């Protein structure tokens, strides 16, 4: 029996096809590598952030439990991986949730201060001083609020929020009469 040249080419193509399919099947069939603990922690943070964002959009009522789980995930990640570049960002998000959502200003201040003192390379470090001043203002602790805001202005005079810090200081120093006059004029406008 004589093998023709064309049959030889078809046989080669068939072998290549079978090998290609076998290779693809083996790649497809391999079990996925398990995630590292750090990847699992980041995945947990991402999942909770997404759930929390969806709950804020879809519900009129704040899901306090979900907010706390999200904050906890941020704090655990930063505690477990303090040198990771995401740690100061996650801590900042935790502090902002305490500050703006749960209205727990003392916890927010503690975290803002921790970020400022322990993450000198954090690109948003300057705002940690401003936010401390803002949180102290919310607690009606004008002495600490003014001190933090003055430190912010002195340390970052060209910052976009330096004018806001000065305005907040002026506002905190208004007397009761000046406040009444200020808000009375605002209502008329």
């Amino acid at each position: 029996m004589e093998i023709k040249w064309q049959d030889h080419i078809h046989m080669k193509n068939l072998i290549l096809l079978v090998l290609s399919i076998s290779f693809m099947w083996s790649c497809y069939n391999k079990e996925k590598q398990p995630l590292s603990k750090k990847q699992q922690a980041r995945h947990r943070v991402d999942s909770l952030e997404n759930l929390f964002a969806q709950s804020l959009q879809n519900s009129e009522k704040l899901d306090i439990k979900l907010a706390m789980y999200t904050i906890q995930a941020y704090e655990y990640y930063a505690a477990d991986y303090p040198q990771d570049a995401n740690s100061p960002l996650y801590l900042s998000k935790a502090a902002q949730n305490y500050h703006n959502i749960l209205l727990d200003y003392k916890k927010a201040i503690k975290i803002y201060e921790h970020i400022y003192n322990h993450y000198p390379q954090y690109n948003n470090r300057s705002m940690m001083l401003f936010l401390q001043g803002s949180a102290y203002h919310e607690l009606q602790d004008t002495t600490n609020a003014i001190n933090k805001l003055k430190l912010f202005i002195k340390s970052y005079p060209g910052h976009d929020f330096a004018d806001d810090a000065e305005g907040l200081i002026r506002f905190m120093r208004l007397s009761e009469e000046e406040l009444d006059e200020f808000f009375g004029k605002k209502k008329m406008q």
Side-chain angles (χ1 to χ4, degrees):
M1 181 167 166
E2 189 176 316
I3 299 178
K4 296 181 184 174
W5 180 251
Q6 290 174 340
D7 289 338
H8 185 62
I9 291 175
H10 288 298
M11 183 64 94
K12 238 182 180 181
N13 288 339
L14 183 61
I15 290 172
L16 282 174
L17 179 65
V18 168
L19 287 175
S20 296
I21 291 171
S22 297
F23 176 74
M24 290 186 326
W25 179 256
S26 69
C27 289
Y28 174 77
N29 220 13
K30 280 187 183 176
E31 288 187 34
K32 291 182 181 178
Q33 293 289 338
L35 296 176
S36 69
K37 289 192 183 289
K38 188 175 185 179
Q39 290 169 324
Q40 290 174 11
R42 190 173 299 136
H43 180 70
R44 185 172 30 262
V45 166
D46 292 343
S47 297
L48 284 167
E49 274 183 333
N50 290 334
L51 284 172
F52 188 58
Q54 287 173 0
S55 78
L56 289 175
Q57 290 174 351
N58 298 335
S59 177
E60 293 177 16
K61 187 178 178 190
L62 177 65
D63 187 341
I64 299 293
K65 226 182 221 184
L66 187 55
M68 291 303 298
Y69 284 136
T70 305
I71 289 169
Q72 185 181 51
Y74 291 141
E75 291 178 320
Y76 283 175
Y77 186 93
D80 290 343
Y81 308 102
Q83 301 305 315
D84 186 81
N86 288 316
S87 290
L89 173 65
Y90 288 164
L91 285 173
S92 176
K93 289 180 176 185
Q96 288 173 27
N97 284 345
Y98 278 127
H99 189 161
N100 300 317
I101 295 174
L102 299 179
L103 308 179
D104 190 337
Y105 305 116
K106 289 180 181 180
K107 285 186 180 178
I109 290 167
K110 185 178 176 185
I111 296 172
Y112 291 140
E113 190 170 8
H114 176 80
I115 297 166
Y116 189 81
N117 292 332
H118 292 91
Y119 294 98
Q121 302 304 318
Y122 179 47
N123 65 349
N124 211 12
R125 181 176 184 248
S126 58
M127 284 303 293
M128 299 305 107
L129 278 178
F130 179 85
L131 292 169
Q132 284 178 66
S134 173
Y136 276 120
H137 172 65
E138 294 291 345
L139 286 172
Q140 298 178 354
D141 182 346
T142 54
T143 302
N144 280 318
I146 289 172
N147 288 339
K148 290 299 179 182
L149 293 169
K150 280 184 173 181
L151 180 58
F152 172 76
I153 294 165
K154 181 180 176 187
S155 301
Y156 307 99
H159 194 282
D160 290 344
F161 279 77
D163 291 342
D164 296 312
E166 288 173 355
L168 189 52
I169 290 171
R170 279 193 303 275
F171 181 77
M172 285 187 277
R173 289 184 170 160
L174 292 176
S175 68
E176 290 293 324
E177 291 173 357
E178 292 170 320
L179 285 171
D180 289 341
E181 183 180 319
F182 176 79
F183 286 113
K185 285 183 180 177
K186 283 286 187 184
K187 287 180 183 177
M188 289 179 181
Q189 291 177 355

